Amino acid sequence: MKYNDFFQIDESKLSKSELEIHNFMVANIKSVLDLNIVDIEKKTFLSRATIERYLKKAGTTGFKTYKIKVNEFLNFNKQPIVYEQITDLLVANHNKKIGITAQGTTFLAAQYLNRRLKFLKFDCEADSFMELHGVKPHFDIMIVLSMRGDQYSGVTDVLDYYDVPMIAITKPDSYIANIATLTIDNNSRDNMNLIDLDDISGTINIIETLIRDIARKLD
């Protein structure tokens, strides 16, 4: 489940400062449990009053109750996502426009997924985050591939622009995992070398599993 859905947050109703707090919380969701409100003040350079306003909009009465809810969110998202949920979503949208995006080495896997889906007659397009940031074509579903799932320049703008169902193949409890509709753990290694193409082998295996199930359902 997406962070915004779990906490029932409407980003359009957040002030600029509150949105900064929001982005920090999403990007650091797991480590938030080890922080206190003073730590948040120091790390975001924002006032306690701003943080408390955000916590109220997140449906909590303070930082302690917010952390309790964060723990519930993390435990909820530990429940395994069955591949069938994702393949059902893609099959149901076989005639819709699907965007596939990634960055760096992982974009090779995105291009591979694009070719495999096109073979199954999907209307899809693979572009890097930076290319989408400049063009922003219409998509009905987004598939995001990311080794670490970190928040970095260009990602937030692109993913916020596409307010559509988002499938993420990424690291659990990461920024991208927390804003996705459905997430598959890419089993990436923390000490991976991003130049080593073997790093995307786990993502390729996931893609092949998805493609086989989609082909079976389309047959």
Side-chain angles (χ1 to χ4, degrees):
M1 176 180 284
K2 291 183 178 181
Y3 176 98
N4 286 7
D5 294 336
F6 191 88
F7 286 87
Q8 297 185 324
I9 289 177
D10 183 351
E11 291 185 25
S12 67
K13 294 183 179 179
L14 299 178
S15 68
K16 184 178 178 180
S17 295
E18 289 166 353
L19 189 58
E20 288 183 44
I21 296 291
H22 174 74
N23 288 336
F24 175 85
M25 296 301 199
V26 172
N28 300 278
I29 189 69
K30 202 169 183 180
S31 60
V32 161
L33 295 175
D34 299 319
L35 302 177
N36 57 46
I37 198 163
V38 175
D39 295 325
I40 304 297
E41 287 181 274
K42 290 178 179 178
K43 289 178 180 292
T44 61
F45 302 102
L46 293 167
S47 69
R48 179 172 297 215
T50 300
I51 297 169
E52 289 175 344
R53 283 198 303 272
Y54 171 77
L55 296 176
K56 187 175 181 180
K57 290 183 178 180
T60 61
T61 56
F63 196 59
K64 286 185 179 179
T65 54
Y66 174 77
K67 290 206 290 186
I68 291 171
K69 198 165 181 179
V70 165
N71 193 53
E72 292 174 357
F73 170 71
L74 293 175
N75 286 331
F76 181 88
N77 280 346
K78 282 181 181 176
Q79 299 176 26
I81 295 297
V82 181
Y83 276 53
E84 189 169 357
Q85 291 177 257
I86 292 174
T87 54
D88 282 348
L89 177 62
L90 292 173
V91 169
N93 290 275
H94 190 219
N95 297 318
K96 299 291 182 68
K97 185 75 174 178
I98 298 174
I100 306 169
T101 189
Q103 197 74 5
T105 303
T106 319
F107 186 55
L108 297 173
Q111 290 174 311
Y112 178 75
L113 174 59
N114 185 52
R115 291 194 299 271
R116 299 291 276 132
L117 287 175
K118 280 183 178 293
F119 182 78
L120 295 176
K121 309 300 183 185
F122 278 87
D123 182 8
C124 52
E125 179 181 336
D127 287 295
S128 71
F129 282 124
M130 295 307 293
E131 289 169 333
L132 285 176
H133 182 63
V135 179
K136 292 182 179 175
H138 169 76
F139 293 122
D140 299 296
I141 291 180
M142 287 294 295
I143 303 176
V144 179
L145 285 66
S146 177
M147 295 302 286
R148 291 189 176 92
D150 292 341
Q151 180 183 16
Y152 52 88
S153 179
V155 175
T156 303
D157 288 344
V158 169
L159 300 184
D160 283 349
Y161 178 83
Y162 290 106
D163 187 20
V164 297
M166 189 176 91
I167 298 166
I169 303 176
T170 190
K171 189 176 180 179
D173 299 330
S174 63
Y175 172 80
I176 289 178
N178 290 333
I179 63 173
T181 308
L182 295 170
T183 302
I184 299 177
D185 182 355
N186 64 0
N187 297 310
S188 63
R189 303 187 302 277
D190 288 337
N191 61 345
M192 61 195 171
N193 174 5
L194 293 181
I195 300 176
D196 184 354
L197 297 187
D198 287 339
D199 289 332
I200 64 171
S201 60
T203 301
I204 296 296
N205 289 335
I206 290 169
I207 289 170
E208 281 303 304
T209 301
L210 291 172
I211 293 296
R212 283 195 298 269
D213 197 30
I214 291 170
R216 177 179 59 80
K217 291 178 178 179
L218 289 175
D219 190 8

